Amino acid sequence: MKKLLEVKDLKKYFPIKGGLFGRQIGAVKAVDGISFDVREGETLGLVGESGCGKSTTGRLILRLIDPTSGSVKFGGKDILALDKNQMRKMRKDMQIIFQDPYASLNPRMTVGSIITEALEIHNLLKNKNDKETRVHQLLEQVGLTGAHARRYPHEFSGGQRQRIGIARVLAVDPKIIIADEPVSALDVSIQAQVINLLQDLQQDLGLTFLFIAHDLSVVKHISNRVAVMYLGNIVEMAEKNELYNNPRHPYTQALLSAIPIADPTVKRERIILQGDVPSPINPPSGCRFHTRCPYARDICKKEEPVVKTIGEDHIVACHLV
Amino acid sequence: MKRPVIEIKDLKTYFFVEEGVVKAVDGVSFEIAEGETLGIVGESGCGKSVTSISIMRLVPNPPGKIVGGQILFKGEDLLMKSEADMRKIRGNEISMIFQEPMTSLNPVYTIGDQIAESVMLHQNLTKREAFSRAVEMLDKVGIPASEKRVHEYPHQLSGGMRQRVMIAMALSCNPKMLVADEPTTALDVTIQAQILELMKQLRDEFNTAIMLITHDLGVIAEVADRVAVMYAGKIVEYTDVMTLFQKPGHPYTIGLLKSIPKLTGNHKRLEPIQGVVPSPLNLPQGCKFNNRCPYAREKCFEKEPELVEVEKGHSVRCWFHDQLQ
Amino acid sequence: MLTYIIRRSIMAVPILIGVATITFLLTFVFVPGDPVRMIMGQHADEATIDSIRDEMGLNRPLSVQYFDFVLKIFKGDLGRSYKTRRPVIESIAERFPATLRLGLSAMAVAIVVGITAGIVSAVKPYSVVDGIFMSLALLGISIPVFYLGLLLIVVFAVNLNILPVGGFGGGDIRYLILPAIALGTAQAARIARMTRSSMMEVIRMDYIRTARSKGLSEKTVIFKHALRNALIPVITVIGTQLGYLLGGTVLTETTFSWPGVGRMAVDAVQSRDFPMIQGTVLFMAIIFIVINLVVDLSYGWFDPRIRYE
Amino acid sequence: MVQKSKSNVIWKRLKKNKMAMVGLTITIGLLLIAIFAPAIVPYDPYTVDLSQSMRAPGQEGHLLGTDQLGRDQFSRLLYGARISLQVGIITQSISMVIGIFMGALAGYYGGKVDEFISYLINVFFAFPSLLFAIAIMATLGPGLNNIFIALGAVSWPGLARIVRGQVLQLKEQEYIEAIRALGGNDFKIIVKHILPNCMAPIIVTATLGVAGAILSEAGLSFLGLGAQPPMPSWGLMLSMGRTYVTTKTWLTIYPGLAIMITILGLNLLGDGLRDALDPRMKQ
């Protein structure tokens, strides 16, 4: 399959200012050298706990935040090299869906004008009649009706708002959608509706997804491949069944064993990790996971592990594999 | 079965707002025994949190008010108690932990202060004794370097650590009952695992009755002994945890179980519950679930079903529960 | 904490320079016409005026004057009055104690009355007492201090004849009462309103629910858990209020013929004595900067999150 | 669900608040007085008639008495509303133009722009405001036009600080990110998405700012540094009345009352707007 998005050695350090004269005294290493590809038509899941850098990654790819270094190629083109105008055009192909359905829609605009705005930015309207038809069509595509266009966001439930956000994204007919925790703010019964919608759209429109989430069950359900992040690094990445059935990195193993399973008959051996995730300001030396890793050895403290390929499409960054 | 620590009978808590009356909790009954964990599960707005603050008698008034029912704790009705008597029970015999560890501790006092405060109040200890009790509790909940940590402020601790402090505070007076309102929802999954493990361990050690409120069926399956499923202010199903997952009796429970993605097995398409939770000011006539229920028939729109025991220890609020499986 | 204090203090220096620059611009650059001529009148001869200009250093290039001006401020030299030819700082030193006396008494009354009323109102919101307090507070922020001053004079000095109409009275406390009340009322009202709203906000916080769930009495919940948090924004208000208060002294001193810096500033404006105006305004600004620095530092005590920054 | 726009909801909330409606009534009343003063005054406010000097209220058809020059106080007070409202509205317009521009610039772009504007704001804030206004008036000389400049210069930093804070907060909102991701340009984002959503605190601040400006003008005129005779400025009238405070109290009481009612009305309206625009603060 063709690689649609190629990310290489992407880094983002947020400076920390302080001291007597407000100089830079350190950096939050939010994303610290990650590489991955997303193939056309697939869903790549990006999982990790809070502060691992997964949301920052999504924003870096879209250049909503400027990366410190690294490269992002979309359809073979290096988008970090684009100027403002070229980037504006490029944005049509790459879109984002957000986590909070209450914060992602302008409360002062009607649903219709929210969607129209997206169409207008990229001059996708032929004439005035076209506007209404397109808006209705988009709303229907996400399971709402044309009558909803005249209403304001506060008149909708969380799940419906998420649908409106999706309609806005679909308006510009993107090739890839970065979905940043799109269902984690929703109730269980509504979550399923939105997940199904996303899957239907992918099938109908041939979309590619980068699906960012902390919920491993959701990620497994929707993804083809899954990458696991810890403290700004990708520690393991594989085809989803391979990753969930045969996790090789100790962090992946612990993460999987920590998920509560909605079935009281399943009895598992839990790996309970000690302590908290260390601060990304001064991340641990060597392997970043060594402070919590049950198998850590001397080498883990000293040397950063290199990424190894251990099977078809299965990579892992651990000294012990 | 062990004797119940608490029995809730037909509890009703309403909120009187400008637009009308919200029947947040509308006739809820359940009981919890020593050392037992009752899980209360439901989606946002179903009344599970209001149930918990009703037990603590901390419903904000106005606009909220407990308008009916009984809360029997050690045989006495908490709703009949004076505020002064109630204060002797809160934090002492019934304790509570909350969803947001980041905001549930007072930012301007050390965690030692905050734990010791409870102990001094309820156990008549001196400040010095209370502080050593605080250190002991911090040890129990697995906070390293407790002697030093006891003098730290909440903002110096991570979310997981703060939730441990909340638990230490709640258990510091050896309560008979612990009310835990979504205690792990705000935490990461590896930290959630730590906290759930800790709660199980402490329950066994102190033989506390736990009421665990959550929206996460996974958490329920892990720690609950029995479960009450709530929808629109009412319990729709009430049974032990095995039965709930293997033989769910209410269409809402069935719907919930079908709509969550599974970690094991292959992935069929999810089957979501259609529609949205109705507005609490505008609940449907008859069964409150009728507008989303795939099995709804005429009767469901006419009359609301009672919660009936369909077999021993398994109650369901549905006209057609016998025809569902 | 020490770094915090030092950093905050260092940050005040550029502000001070900015304040000095604006004052300089106002008095030397934007003034239409020649200030010396304005003072000396139309009939003074050119030679006299020029010699005064020379004496004042006004014949040097502006940039030289500016650097000289800023440097002198750091040495505590605010120039000489056009009118009396005395150093401005001397006149200020003479008058400032009276202003300080007035300002401190007003603020002390305002803080005590304001915070007490705010707490009482917040604990029983929408009660009769709250209604009365908040109506009074609303009147308090709506009444001009000079009007309140005049009303107090009419009632207590003229009609009841129990307190003096004005003047300093050689430090007699009876002379202080009316001006302090006039000046402090608006501040008390603002502090009361802020305390109330801050308190009501804090009372809704999760940690207050936690405190209640521990079985603490309402008194402990309010005075131990809520108050300290609620006071953090109130302190900010007190800080900004001191600015209004310093401005208010000008009006109060004029109303009550109180011999402070404020009245001196007004007199200076009327006689177009620019170094004097500039000196008093600058001096008050410096006082205000120092006050705000102290206020900032006091956050550290109330809020450990800042202490450990 | 009935369709309703946001301003409708706000108006409904405002209507329910009795105090706010009192404030609104006072404010509208003042506006009408200011507009129609020439038509409703019983006497010309500037005509000196020494034979009518110092009439007590009610005497010889002078509702609120006359001053030392025999001018009708009631008529002068009605005309005074013109001056006060002019000061309030013009000053706040100046302050809003500068404040919103500076605040939006600083908040949206951050970095060096923000550092500079924030520094400017802090410097302006370091002056006690009335003293600063006095210093400006001393430079420019007394007069109404100079009051506009002085008070505008004093009040923009407050608004700029509020706008900056709002913009800073709003630009992190996901709906702003969404437009950026779609490729919307900065100017449109600020004007179409950010500013309309921070109108609430701007309106409240400006309403209270009108009150503050009127109060400051009265203060400056009271000190003799603002409006000059024979203008019927309330502050100036008070300062004249002060000379006779022990004998002719009506010359003090009524002008002061006029200022107080005006400020009270605006404060009530400002408070009401705050509650209506930010329902979180109430309840």
Side-chain angles (χ1 to χ4, degrees), chain C residues 36 40 44-54 85:
Chain C
V36 181
M40 304 305 287
D45 64 285
E46 280 305 318
T48 324
I49 287 180
D50 207 57
S51 74
I52 294 174
R53 286 186 61 87
D54 234 23
R85 302 287 171 83

Side-chain angles (χ1 to χ4, degrees), chain D residues 66-88:
Chain D
T66 62
D67 63 10
Q68 67 278 28
L69 298 177
R71 294 174 295 194
D72 180 58
Q73 181 160 243
F74 180 62
S75 308
R76 287 180 68 76
L77 286 179
L78 294 188
Y79 260 78
R82 300 191 123 188
I83 298 176
S84 286
L85 285 179
Q86 231 180 337
V87 168

Side-chain angles (χ1 to χ4, degrees), chain B residues 109-113 131 135 138 145-153 156, chain C residues 308:
Chain B
Y109 294 104
T110 63
I111 57 172
D113 266 330
F131 256 84
V135 172
L138 290 182
S146 53
E147 294 273 1
K148 186 174 139 269
R149 282 289 162 98
V150 79
H151 299 296
E152 290 189 353
Y153 289 92
Q156 295 169 282
Chain C
Y308 288 86

Side-chain angles (χ1 to χ4, degrees), chain A residues 49-50 187 189 193 220 273, chain B residues 43-44 188 190 194 263 273:
Chain A
E49 298 178 285
S50 43
D187 268 324
S189 67
Q193 297 174 358
K220 185 180 184 207
L273 288 179
Chain B
E43 295 177 292
S44 35
D188 274 319
T190 58
Q194 294 172 356
L263 201 56
I273 302 173

